[in-house]
Amino acid sequence: MHTLQKLFSIAAISLLAACSSTPDKAGSGMNDPEVTTDTAPGVGGDSANGVEVIPASGSQAGGENLGTGQSLDEMKMVDVDSIYPPIIYFKYDQYDLDDKATDIVRYHADILMANPKQKVVLKGHTDERGTPEYNLALGEKRAQAVAQAMMLFGVQQERIEVVSFGEEQPEDVQSNEIAWQKNRRVEIVIK
């Protein structure tokens, strides 16, 4: 009797162990409850199981419409705009354009060429040193230098307005070299 109970216990344990084992291959049976309960909704490989594979379109593959909905070119324009602010600074008593100023003019000329209905106002400024007449003339020479460069980059003369404010509208009202450097400028206003 004792032996019979041991045999019955061993058989029961073996039966339970056989029921709890995992199948040899995952998903081998269509009615396998483990396969259907382990598959998350939308995962599995075809639309019949809730998954739809959408191939990338040509514009998405090319980098357009990424993130904020801007094209790649528009995103570049934003970055470049921070590099080329619409102000050109000059050395003391000078009105010639250096390489950085030429790059700024070229960038804004390109904007004007891409937008033929827009015009530009070039506002020439000086620091406070010099007579008012001299500063008005120098501010105009600075604005004219920028206008000449814009025309070389293709902007028509009739789209360019030159104004000189001399020393009348300083960017910094202090009387020191740092303030004077800020005040020797041409502002590019596209409208």
Side-chain angles (χ1 to χ4, degrees), residues 1-175:
M1 180 83 178
H2 212 46
T3 306
L4 187 59
Q5 282 180 335
K6 282 184 181 178
L7 285 176
F8 184 74
S9 296
I10 290 172
I13 291 171
S14 297
L15 182 63
L16 288 174
C19 289
S20 65
S21 67
T22 57
D24 293 338
K25 288 181 158 182
S28 61
M30 291 294 290
N31 296 325
D32 189 351
E34 288 186 43
V35 172
T36 56
T37 55
D38 288 345
T39 303
V43 177
D46 60 28
S47 61
N49 291 329
V51 174
E52 185 177 356
V53 178
I54 301 171
S57 68
S59 63
Q60 290 171 332
E64 294 178 6
N65 301 325
L66 297 174
T68 62
Q70 294 178 320
S71 72
L72 191 57
D73 289 337
E74 289 171 333
M75 289 190 283
K76 286 179 184 175
M77 292 296 281
V78 171
D79 291 338
V80 172
D81 198 31
S82 65
I83 296 170
Y84 297 116
I87 297 178
I88 298 171
Y89 294 99
F90 292 85
K91 294 179 181 172
Y92 175 69
D93 204 26
Q94 299 292 315
Y95 55 91
D96 55 331
L97 302 176
D98 59 13
D99 291 341
K100 181 179 178 183
T102 303
D103 289 343
I104 293 170
V105 172
R106 179 181 299 128
Y107 172 71
H108 289 89
D110 288 346
I111 292 173
L112 288 165
M113 295 303 289
N115 300 286
K117 292 183 179 178
Q118 291 188 300
K119 295 183 177 186
V120 64
V121 179
L122 304 173
K123 298 178 178 180
H125 300 272
T126 65
D127 62 35
E128 65 188 9
R129 297 172 290 179
T131 65
E133 296 81 17
Y134 178 80
N135 287 335
L136 280 173
L138 182 57
E140 184 173 346
K141 286 181 181 180
R142 289 174 175 164
Q144 286 291 349
V146 174
Q148 291 294 321
M150 281 200 167
M151 286 189 279
L152 288 175
F153 291 122
V155 179
Q156 297 94 356
Q157 185 175 6
E158 51 273 3
R159 296 175 62 196
I160 301 172
E161 180 182 352
V162 172
V163 180
S164 177
F165 292 96
E167 64 190 68
E168 296 302 317
Q169 295 183 358
E171 186 174 308
D172 190 331
V173 295
Q174 299 180 55
S175 289

